[in-house]
Amino acid sequence: MISKQDVEHVALLARLELSEEEKELYTQQLNKILDAARALQELNTDDVPPTAHVLSIQNVFREDRVGQHIDPEKALANAPDREENFFKVPKIV
């Protein structure tokens, strides 16, 4: 159970100024959220397999293939600045 003092403590840590009405409202809302979570804990999930996603999905990747590549001179032809066979860009910190 979340108390009004808990809400005040979190507001203090977050440097938030809350009115008395907001403190009451947030206390009620947070307790409703916790009640909903408690209700979920009561569900029987023995026959439910653990999953990482609600849908059965897979990553679809293409197979790597060796193929024709662009000539480095053509790729770097319009480069504003280059160093050997690489694009040279400004350092960003």
Side-chain angles (χ1 to χ4, degrees):
M1 190 92 187
I2 299 286
S3 68
K4 186 176 167 185
Q5 288 76 23
D6 294 328
V7 172
E8 289 171 343
H9 179 68
V10 172
L12 175 69
L13 294 174
R15 306 290 192 261
L16 297 174
E17 289 185 30
L18 301 178
S19 67
E20 287 301 314
E21 294 82 22
E22 289 172 322
K23 291 176 190 176
E24 290 295 330
L25 175 66
Y26 296 150
T27 301
Q28 292 171 9
Q29 289 176 342
L30 289 169
N31 280 313
K32 284 182 184 178
I33 292 169
L34 291 177
D35 289 341
R38 278 189 210 97
L40 290 175
Q41 288 178 337
E42 295 174 9
L43 294 174
N44 181 2
T45 58
D46 292 341
D47 297 329
V48 179
T51 58
H53 198 279
V54 294
L55 300 176
S56 176
I57 61 172
Q58 296 176 339
N59 286 332
V60 180
F61 295 110
R62 68 171 173 79
E63 189 175 316
D64 287 338
R65 286 175 260 155
V66 177
Q68 297 293 329
H69 299 284
I70 189 167
D71 178 56
E73 285 303 318
K74 272 188 176 179
L76 294 165
N78 293 323
D81 199 5
R82 66 185 269 190
E83 188 171 303
E84 297 178 19
N85 283 338
F86 303 99
F87 292 94
K88 190 172 182 180
V89 296
K91 183 178 180 180
I92 298 175
V93 179

